[in-house]
Coordinates of all heavy atoms in Angstrom, one line a residue:
M393 N 14.2 -22.9 -9.9 CA 13.9 -22.6 -8.4 C 12.7 -21.6 -8.5 O 12.8 -20.6 -9.3 CB 15.1 -22.0 -7.8 CG 14.9 -21.6 -6.3 SD 14.2 -22.8 -5.4 CE 15.6 -24.0 -5.1
L394 N 11.8 -21.7 -7.8 CA 10.6 -20.8 -7.7 C 11.0 -19.7 -6.9 O 11.7 -19.8 -5.9 CB 9.4 -21.5 -7.1 CG 8.8 -22.7 -7.9 CD1 7.8 -23.3 -6.9 CD2 8.2 -22.2 -9.2
N395 N 10.4 -18.5 -7.2 CA 10.4 -17.3 -6.4 C 9.2 -17.2 -5.5 O 8.3 -18.0 -5.6 CB 10.8 -16.0 -7.1 CG 9.6 -15.7 -8.2 OD1 8.4 -16.2 -7.9 ND2 9.8 -15.1 -9.2
C396 N 9.2 -16.2 -4.5 CA 8.1 -16.2 -3.6 C 6.8 -15.9 -4.2 O 5.7 -16.6 -3.9 CB 8.4 -15.1 -2.5 SG 9.8 -15.6 -1.4
K397 N 6.8 -15.1 -5.3 CA 5.6 -14.6 -6.0 C 5.0 -15.9 -6.6 O 3.9 -16.1 -6.6 CB 5.9 -13.6 -7.0 CG 4.8 -13.0 -7.7 CD 5.1 -11.8 -8.6 CE 4.0 -11.2 -9.2 NZ 3.5 -12.0 -10.5
K398 N 5.8 -16.6 -7.3 CA 5.3 -17.9 -8.1 C 4.9 -18.9 -7.1 O 3.8 -19.6 -7.3 CB 6.5 -18.3 -8.9 CG 6.1 -19.5 -9.9 CD 5.1 -18.9 -11.0 CE 4.7 -20.2 -11.9 NZ 3.6 -19.8 -12.7
T399 N 5.5 -19.0 -5.9 CA 5.1 -20.0 -4.9 C 3.7 -19.6 -4.4 O 2.9 -20.5 -4.3 CB 6.2 -20.0 -3.8 OG1 7.5 -20.3 -4.4 CG2 5.9 -21.1 -2.8
I400 N 3.5 -18.4 -4.1 CA 2.2 -18.0 -3.6 C 1.2 -18.1 -4.6 O 0.0 -18.6 -4.3 CB 2.3 -16.6 -3.0 CG1 3.3 -16.4 -1.9 CG2 0.9 -16.0 -2.6 CD1 3.1 -17.4 -0.7
E401 N 1.4 -17.9 -5.9 CA 0.5 -18.1 -7.0 C 0.0 -19.5 -7.0 O -1.1 -19.9 -7.4 CB 1.2 -17.7 -8.3 CG 1.0 -16.2 -8.6 CD 1.7 -15.9 -9.8 OE1 2.1 -16.8 -10.7 OE2 2.0 -14.6 -10.1
L402 N 1.0 -20.4 -6.7 CA 0.7 -21.9 -6.8 C 0.1 -22.4 -5.5 O -0.3 -23.6 -5.5 CB 2.0 -22.6 -7.1 CG 2.5 -22.4 -8.5 CD1 3.9 -23.2 -8.7 CD2 1.6 -22.9 -9.5
L403 N -0.1 -21.5 -4.6 CA -0.7 -22.0 -3.3 C -2.1 -22.7 -3.4 O -2.2 -23.8 -2.9 CB -0.9 -20.8 -2.3 CG -1.5 -21.0 -1.0 CD1 -1.1 -22.2 -0.1 CD2 -1.6 -19.7 -0.2
Y404 N -3.0 -22.0 -4.1 CA -4.3 -22.6 -4.1 C -4.3 -23.8 -5.0 O -4.9 -24.9 -4.6 CB -5.3 -21.7 -4.6 CG -5.7 -20.7 -3.4 CD1 -5.0 -19.4 -3.3 CD2 -6.5 -21.2 -2.4 CE1 -5.2 -18.7 -2.3 CE2 -6.6 -20.3 -1.3 CZ -6.0 -19.1 -1.2 OH -6.3 -18.3 -0.2
P405 N -3.6 -23.8 -6.2 CA -3.6 -25.2 -7.0 C -2.9 -26.3 -6.2 O -3.2 -27.4 -6.2 CB -2.7 -24.8 -8.2 CG -2.8 -23.3 -8.3 CD -3.2 -22.7 -7.0
Y406 N -1.9 -25.8 -5.3 CA -1.3 -26.8 -4.4 C -2.2 -27.5 -3.5 O -2.3 -28.6 -3.3 CB -0.1 -26.0 -3.7 CG 0.7 -26.9 -2.7 CD1 1.7 -27.7 -3.0 CD2 0.2 -26.7 -1.4 CE1 2.4 -28.4 -2.0 CE2 0.9 -27.5 -0.3 CZ 1.9 -28.2 -0.7 OH 2.6 -29.0 0.3
L407 N -3.0 -26.5 -2.8 CA -3.9 -27.0 -1.8 C -5.1 -27.8 -2.5 O -5.6 -28.7 -1.9 CB -4.6 -25.8 -1.1 CG -3.5 -25.0 -0.2 CD1 -4.2 -23.9 0.4 CD2 -2.9 -25.9 0.9
D408 N -5.4 -27.5 -3.7 CA -6.4 -28.3 -4.4 C -5.8 -29.5 -5.2 O -6.5 -30.2 -5.8 CB -7.0 -27.4 -5.5 CG -7.9 -26.3 -4.8 OD1 -8.3 -26.6 -3.7 OD2 -8.3 -25.3 -5.5
R409 N -4.5 -29.7 -5.0 CA -3.8 -30.9 -5.6 C -4.0 -30.9 -7.1 O -4.2 -31.9 -7.7 CB -4.4 -32.3 -4.8 CG -4.2 -32.3 -3.5 CD -5.0 -33.6 -2.9 NE -5.0 -33.4 -1.5 CZ -4.1 -33.6 -0.6 NH1 -3.0 -34.1 -1.0 NH2 -4.3 -33.5 0.7
E410 N -3.7 -29.8 -7.7 CA -3.9 -29.7 -9.1 C -2.5 -29.7 -9.8 O -2.4 -29.3 -11.0 CB -4.7 -28.4 -9.5 CG -6.2 -28.6 -9.1 CD -6.9 -27.2 -9.2 OE1 -6.3 -26.2 -9.6 OE2 -8.1 -27.2 -9.1
L411 N -1.4 -29.8 -9.0 CA -0.1 -29.6 -9.6 C 0.5 -30.9 -9.9 O 0.1 -32.0 -9.4 CB 0.7 -28.9 -8.5 CG 0.3 -27.5 -8.1 CD1 1.2 -26.9 -7.1 CD2 0.2 -26.6 -9.4
S412 N 1.5 -30.8 -10.8 CA 2.3 -32.0 -11.2 C 3.3 -32.3 -10.0 O 3.5 -31.5 -9.2 CB 3.0 -31.8 -12.5 OG 4.0 -30.8 -12.3
A413 N 3.8 -33.6 -10.1 CA 4.8 -33.9 -9.1 C 6.0 -33.1 -9.2 O 6.6 -32.6 -8.1 CB 5.3 -35.4 -9.3
Q414 N 6.4 -32.7 -10.3 CA 7.5 -31.7 -10.6 C 7.2 -30.4 -9.8 O 8.1 -29.9 -9.2 CB 7.7 -31.4 -12.0 CG 8.6 -30.3 -12.5 CD 10.1 -30.6 -12.2 OE1 10.5 -31.9 -12.4 NE2 10.8 -29.8 -11.8
E415 N 6.0 -29.9 -9.9 CA 5.7 -28.6 -9.3 C 5.6 -28.7 -7.9 O 6.1 -27.9 -7.1 CB 4.3 -28.0 -9.8 CG 4.4 -27.5 -11.3 CD 3.0 -27.3 -11.9 OE1 2.1 -28.0 -11.8 OE2 2.9 -26.2 -12.4
L416 N 5.1 -29.8 -7.3 CA 5.0 -30.1 -5.9 C 6.4 -30.1 -5.3 O 6.6 -29.5 -4.2 CB 4.3 -31.4 -5.7 CG 2.8 -31.5 -5.9 CD1 2.3 -32.9 -5.8 CD2 2.1 -30.4 -5.0
E417 N 7.3 -30.7 -6.1 CA 8.7 -30.8 -5.5 C 9.3 -29.4 -5.5 O 10.1 -29.1 -4.5 CB 9.5 -31.7 -6.6 CG 10.7 -32.4 -6.0 CD 11.2 -33.4 -6.9 OE1 10.6 -34.4 -7.1 OE2 12.4 -33.2 -7.2
E418 N 9.1 -28.6 -6.5 CA 9.7 -27.1 -6.5 C 9.1 -26.5 -5.4 O 9.8 -25.6 -4.8 CB 9.4 -26.7 -7.9 CG 10.2 -27.2 -9.1 CD 9.9 -26.5 -10.4 OE1 9.3 -25.4 -10.4 OE2 10.5 -27.0 -11.4
I419 N 7.8 -26.5 -5.2 CA 7.2 -25.8 -4.1 C 7.8 -26.3 -2.7 O 8.2 -25.5 -1.9 CB 5.7 -26.0 -4.1 CG1 5.1 -25.2 -5.2 CG2 5.1 -25.6 -2.7 CD1 3.5 -25.5 -5.3
Q420 N 7.8 -27.6 -2.6 CA 8.5 -28.1 -1.3 C 9.9 -27.6 -1.0 O 10.2 -27.2 0.0 CB 8.5 -29.7 -1.4 CG 8.6 -30.2 0.0 CD 7.5 -29.7 0.9 OE1 6.2 -29.8 0.7 NE2 7.9 -29.2 2.1
E421 N 10.7 -27.6 -2.2 CA 12.0 -27.0 -2.1 C 12.0 -25.6 -1.7 O 12.9 -25.1 -0.8 CB 12.7 -27.1 -3.4 CG 13.5 -28.4 -3.7 CD 14.2 -28.4 -5.1 OE1 14.5 -27.2 -5.6 OE2 14.2 -29.5 -5.7
H422 N 11.1 -24.8 -2.3 CA 11.2 -23.4 -1.8 C 10.7 -23.2 -0.3 O 11.2 -22.4 0.4 CB 10.1 -22.6 -2.8 CG 10.0 -21.1 -2.4 ND1 10.9 -20.3 -3.2 CD2 9.4 -20.4 -1.6 CE1 10.6 -19.0 -2.6 NE2 9.6 -19.1 -1.6
L423 N 9.7 -24.0 0.1 CA 9.2 -23.9 1.4 C 10.2 -24.2 2.4 O 10.2 -23.7 3.5 CB 7.9 -24.8 1.7 CG 6.7 -24.4 0.8 CD1 5.5 -25.3 1.1 CD2 6.3 -22.9 1.0
D424 N 11.1 -25.3 2.0 CA 12.1 -25.7 3.0 C 13.0 -24.6 3.3 O 13.7 -24.6 4.4 CB 12.8 -26.9 2.3 CG 12.1 -28.2 2.5 OD1 11.1 -28.2 3.2 OD2 12.4 -29.1 1.9
M425 N 13.3 -23.7 2.3 CA 14.3 -22.6 2.5 C 13.8 -21.3 2.7 O 14.4 -20.3 2.8 CB 15.3 -22.7 1.3 CG 14.7 -22.6 0.0 SD 15.9 -22.7 -1.3 CE 16.6 -21.0 -1.2
C426 N 12.4 -21.2 2.8 CA 11.7 -19.9 2.9 C 10.6 -19.8 3.9 O 9.6 -20.2 3.5 CB 11.2 -19.4 1.5 SG 10.4 -17.7 1.4
P427 N 11.1 -19.6 5.1 CA 10.1 -19.6 6.3 C 8.8 -18.8 6.1 O 7.8 -19.2 6.4 CB 10.9 -19.1 7.4 CG 12.4 -19.5 7.1 CD 12.5 -19.3 5.6
P428 N 8.9 -17.5 5.5 CA 7.7 -16.8 5.2 C 6.7 -17.5 4.3 O 5.5 -17.4 4.6 CB 8.1 -15.5 4.6 CG 9.6 -15.4 5.1 CD 10.1 -16.7 5.1
C429 N 7.1 -18.1 3.4 CA 6.2 -18.8 2.4 C 5.8 -20.0 3.1 O 4.5 -20.5 3.0 CB 6.9 -19.2 1.1 SG 7.0 -17.8 0.0
A430 N 6.6 -20.8 3.8 CA 6.2 -22.0 4.6 C 5.0 -21.7 5.5 O 4.1 -22.3 5.7 CB 7.3 -22.6 5.3
R431 N 5.3 -20.5 6.2 CA 4.1 -20.1 7.2 C 2.9 -19.8 6.6 O 1.9 -20.2 6.9 CB 4.7 -18.9 7.9 CG 4.1 -18.8 9.4 CD 4.8 -17.7 10.1 NE 4.5 -16.4 9.5 CZ 3.7 -15.6 10.0 NH1 2.9 -15.9 11.0 NH2 3.4 -14.4 9.5
H432 N 3.0 -19.1 5.3 CA 1.8 -18.8 4.6 C 1.1 -20.1 4.2 O -0.2 -20.1 4.3 CB 2.3 -17.9 3.4 CG 1.2 -17.3 2.8 ND1 0.7 -15.9 3.0 CD2 0.3 -17.6 1.6 CE1 -0.2 -15.6 2.3 NE2 -0.5 -16.6 1.4
F433 N 1.8 -21.0 3.6 CA 1.3 -22.2 3.2 C 0.5 -23.0 4.4 O -0.5 -23.6 4.3 CB 2.3 -23.2 2.5 CG 2.4 -22.9 1.0 CD1 2.6 -21.7 0.5 CD2 2.2 -24.0 0.2 CE1 2.6 -21.6 -0.9 CE2 2.2 -23.9 -1.2 CZ 2.5 -22.7 -1.7
A434 N 1.3 -23.0 5.5 CA 0.8 -23.7 6.7 C -0.6 -23.1 7.2 O -1.5 -23.8 7.4 CB 1.7 -23.7 7.8
L435 N -0.6 -21.9 7.1 CA -1.7 -21.1 7.7 C -3.0 -21.4 6.7 O -4.1 -21.7 7.1 CB -1.5 -19.5 7.7 CG -0.8 -19.1 8.8 CD1 -0.5 -17.5 8.6 CD2 -1.7 -19.2 10.2
E436 N -2.7 -21.2 5.4 CA -3.7 -21.5 4.4 C -4.2 -22.8 4.4 O -5.5 -23.1 4.4 CB -3.3 -21.0 3.0 CG -3.1 -19.5 2.9 CD -4.4 -18.8 2.9 OE1 -5.5 -19.3 2.6 OE2 -4.4 -17.5 3.0
S437 N -3.3 -23.8 4.4 CA -3.8 -25.2 4.4 C -4.5 -25.6 5.7 O -5.5 -26.4 5.6 CB -2.5 -26.2 4.1 OG -1.7 -26.0 5.2
G438 N -4.1 -25.0 6.8 CA -4.7 -25.4 8.0 C -6.2 -24.8 8.0 O -7.1 -25.5 8.4
M439 N -6.3 -23.6 7.5 CA -7.7 -23.0 7.6 C -8.6 -23.7 6.5 O -9.7 -24.0 6.8 CB -7.5 -21.5 7.1 CG -8.8 -20.8 7.3 SD -8.6 -19.1 6.7 CE -8.7 -19.5 4.9
L440 N -8.0 -24.2 5.3 CA -8.8 -24.7 4.4 C -9.2 -26.1 4.8 O -10.4 -26.6 4.6 CB -7.9 -25.1 3.1 CG -8.6 -25.2 1.8 CD1 -9.1 -23.9 1.3 CD2 -7.8 -25.8 0.8
R441 N -8.4 -26.9 5.6 CA -8.8 -28.1 6.1 C -9.9 -28.0 7.2 O -10.9 -28.8 7.1 CB -7.6 -28.7 6.8 CG -7.6 -30.3 6.8 CD -6.2 -30.9 7.1 NE -5.5 -30.2 8.1 CZ -4.2 -29.9 7.8 NH1 -3.6 -30.1 6.7 NH2 -3.5 -29.2 8.8
I442 N -9.8 -26.9 8.0 CA -11.0 -26.7 9.0 C -12.2 -26.5 8.3 O -13.3 -26.9 8.6 CB -10.5 -25.6 10.0 CG1 -9.5 -26.1 10.8 CG2 -11.8 -25.1 10.8 CD1 -8.6 -24.9 11.5
V443 N -12.1 -25.5 7.3 CA -13.3 -25.0 6.5 C -13.9 -26.0 5.7 O -15.1 -26.4 5.8 CB -12.9 -23.9 5.6 CG1 -14.1 -23.6 4.6 CG2 -12.6 -22.5 6.4
S444 N -13.2 -26.8 5.0 CA -13.7 -27.9 4.2 C -14.5 -29.0 5.1 O -15.5 -29.5 4.7 CB -12.8 -28.5 3.3 OG -11.8 -29.3 3.9
K445 N -13.8 -29.3 6.2 CA -14.4 -30.2 7.1 C -15.7 -29.6 7.7 O -16.8 -30.5 7.7 CB -13.4 -30.4 8.3 CG -13.7 -31.7 9.1 CD -12.5 -31.8 10.1 CE -12.9 -32.8 11.3 NZ -12.0 -32.7 12.4
A446 N -15.8 -28.4 8.1 CA -17.0 -27.8 8.6 C -18.1 -27.7 7.5 O -19.2 -27.9 7.8 CB -16.6 -26.4 9.1
C447 N -17.6 -27.4 6.2 CA -18.6 -27.3 5.2 C -19.3 -28.6 4.8 O -20.4 -28.6 4.4 CB -17.9 -26.8 3.9 SG -17.4 -25.1 4.1
K448 N -18.6 -29.7 5.1 CA -19.1 -31.0 4.9 C -20.1 -31.5 5.9 O -20.9 -32.4 5.7 CB -18.1 -32.0 4.7 CG -17.4 -31.9 3.3 CD -16.3 -32.9 3.1 CE -15.4 -32.5 1.9 NZ -14.0 -32.8 2.1
S449 N -20.1 -30.9 7.1 CA -20.9 -31.3 8.2 C -22.3 -30.8 8.1 O -22.5 -29.7 8.6 CB -20.1 -31.2 9.5 OG -20.5 -29.9 9.9
V450 N -23.1 -31.5 7.3 CA -24.5 -31.1 7.0 C -25.4 -31.1 8.3 O -26.4 -30.6 8.4 CB -25.1 -31.8 6.0 CG1 -24.6 -31.4 4.6 CG2 -25.1 -33.3 6.2
Q451 N -24.9 -31.8 9.4 CA -25.6 -32.0 10.6 C -25.6 -30.7 11.6 O -26.2 -30.7 12.6 CB -25.1 -33.2 11.3 CG -25.3 -34.5 10.6 CD -26.8 -34.8 10.2 OE1 -27.7 -34.6 10.9 NE2 -27.0 -35.4 9.1
A452 N -24.7 -29.8 11.2 CA -24.4 -28.7 12.1 C -25.7 -27.8 12.4 O -26.5 -27.8 11.5 CB -23.3 -27.8 11.5
P453 N -25.8 -27.3 13.5 CA -26.9 -26.4 13.8 C -27.0 -25.3 13.0 O -25.9 -24.8 12.4 CB -26.7 -25.9 15.1 CG -25.7 -26.8 15.8 CD -24.9 -27.5 14.7
A454 N -28.1 -24.7 12.6 CA -28.3 -23.5 11.6 C -27.2 -22.4 11.9 O -26.6 -21.9 11.0 CB -29.6 -23.0 11.7
A455 N -27.1 -22.1 13.2 CA -26.2 -20.9 13.6 C -24.8 -21.2 13.2 O -24.2 -20.3 12.6 CB -26.3 -20.5 15.0
L456 N -24.4 -22.4 13.5 CA -23.1 -22.8 13.1 C -22.9 -22.8 11.7 O -21.9 -22.4 11.1 CB -22.7 -24.0 13.8 CG -21.3 -24.8 13.4 CD1 -20.2 -23.8 13.9 CD2 -21.2 -26.2 13.9
R457 N -23.9 -23.4 10.9 CA -23.8 -23.6 9.5 C -23.7 -22.2 8.8 O -23.0 -22.1 8.0 CB -24.9 -24.2 9.0 CG -24.7 -25.2 7.8 CD -25.7 -26.1 7.6 NE -27.1 -25.7 7.6 CZ -28.1 -26.4 8.2 NH1 -27.9 -27.6 8.7 NH2 -29.3 -25.9 8.2
A458 N -24.4 -21.3 9.4 CA -24.5 -19.8 8.7 C -22.9 -19.3 9.0 O -22.4 -18.6 8.0 CB -25.4 -19.0 9.6
R459 N -22.4 -19.5 10.1 CA -21.1 -18.9 10.5 C -20.0 -19.6 9.5 O -19.2 -19.0 8.9 CB -20.7 -19.2 11.9 CG -19.7 -18.2 12.4 CD -19.7 -18.2 13.9 NE -19.2 -19.5 14.4 CZ -19.7 -20.0 15.5 NH1 -20.6 -19.5 16.3 NH2 -19.3 -21.3 15.9
V460 N -20.3 -20.9 9.4 CA -19.3 -21.7 8.5 C -19.4 -21.2 7.1 O -18.4 -21.0 6.3 CB -19.6 -23.1 8.7 CG1 -18.8 -23.9 7.5 CG2 -19.0 -23.7 10.0
M461 N -20.6 -21.0 6.6 CA -20.9 -20.5 5.2 C -20.2 -19.2 5.1 O -19.5 -19.1 4.0 CB -22.3 -20.3 5.0 CG -23.0 -21.8 4.7 SD -22.1 -22.8 3.4 CE -22.3 -21.7 2.0
S462 N -20.2 -18.4 6.0 CA -19.5 -17.1 5.8 C -18.0 -17.2 5.7 O -17.4 -16.5 5.0 CB -20.0 -15.9 6.7 OG -19.4 -16.1 7.9
T463 N -17.6 -18.2 6.6 CA -16.1 -18.4 6.4 C -15.8 -19.0 5.2 O -14.8 -18.6 4.6 CB -15.8 -19.4 7.6 OG1 -16.2 -18.9 8.8 CG2 -14.3 -19.6 7.7
C464 N -16.6 -19.8 4.6 CA -16.3 -20.4 3.3 C -16.4 -19.5 2.2 O -15.5 -19.4 1.3 CB -17.3 -21.5 3.0 SG -17.3 -22.9 4.1
M465 N -17.2 -18.5 2.3 CA -17.3 -17.4 1.2 C -16.1 -16.6 1.4 O -15.5 -16.3 0.3 CB -18.6 -16.5 1.6 CG -19.8 -17.2 1.5 SD -20.3 -17.9 -0.1 CE -21.0 -16.5 -0.9
K466 N -15.6 -16.3 2.5 CA -14.4 -15.5 2.6 C -13.2 -16.2 2.1 O -12.3 -15.7 1.5 CB -14.1 -15.3 4.1 CG -14.8 -13.9 4.6 CD -14.5 -13.5 6.0 CE -15.7 -12.8 6.7 NZ -15.9 -13.2 8.1
A467 N -13.1 -17.6 2.4 CA -12.1 -18.3 2.0 C -12.0 -18.5 0.4 O -10.9 -18.8 -0.1 CB -12.2 -19.8 2.6
A468 N -13.2 -18.4 -0.3 CA -13.2 -18.3 -1.7 C -12.6 -17.2 -2.3 O -12.5 -17.2 -3.4 CB -14.6 -18.7 -2.1
E469 N -12.5 -16.1 -1.5 CA -12.1 -14.8 -2.1 C -10.6 -15.1 -2.7 O -9.9 -15.7 -2.0 CB -12.2 -13.8 -1.1 CG -13.5 -13.1 -1.0 CD -13.5 -12.1 0.2 OE1 -12.5 -11.7 0.6 OE2 -14.6 -11.7 0.5
P470 N -10.2 -14.3 -3.7 CA -8.8 -14.5 -4.2 C -7.9 -13.8 -3.1 O -8.3 -12.8 -2.4 CB -8.8 -13.7 -5.6 CG -10.1 -12.9 -5.5 CD -11.1 -13.6 -4.6
P471 N -6.7 -14.2 -3.1 CA -5.8 -13.6 -2.2 C -5.5 -12.1 -2.5 O -5.5 -11.8 -3.8 CB -4.6 -14.3 -2.3 CG -4.7 -15.1 -3.5 CD -6.1 -15.3 -3.8
R472 N -5.5 -11.2 -1.5 CA -5.2 -9.8 -1.8 C -3.7 -9.5 -2.1 O -2.9 -10.1 -1.4 CB -5.6 -8.9 -0.7 CG -7.1 -8.8 -0.6 CD -7.5 -7.7 0.4 NE -9.0 -7.9 0.7 CZ -9.4 -8.7 1.7 NH1 -8.5 -9.4 2.4 NH2 -10.7 -8.8 1.9
S473 N -3.4 -8.9 -3.2 CA -2.1 -8.4 -3.5 C -1.8 -7.2 -2.7 O -2.6 -6.3 -2.5 CB -1.8 -8.2 -4.9 OG -2.8 -7.2 -5.4
Q474 N -0.5 -7.2 -2.1 CA -0.2 -6.1 -1.2 C 0.7 -5.2 -1.9 O 1.6 -5.5 -2.5 CB 0.5 -6.8 0.0 CG -0.2 -7.9 0.6 CD 0.0 -8.2 2.1 OE1 0.9 -7.5 2.7 NE2 -0.8 -8.9 2.7
Ligands
ZN304 ZN1 9.3 -17.5 -0.4

């Protein structure tokens, strides 16, 4: 069984689909019983989806593109440990 720390460490590999089926299953199990981690994953995955979609839209006006780029840069920062 994963603990919260390990689960959060696996967040980005999880979102990047770099994990084995076994690891995905363990994460899913943890998220099912740990609302704080589930919320964290939902927030991050939602943001990542929006950002990657926005980053791919090359037709965006310059102002929007600049804003999106800065969001992308922030998203690329490693998670802060508290
Ligand atoms: Zn947890």
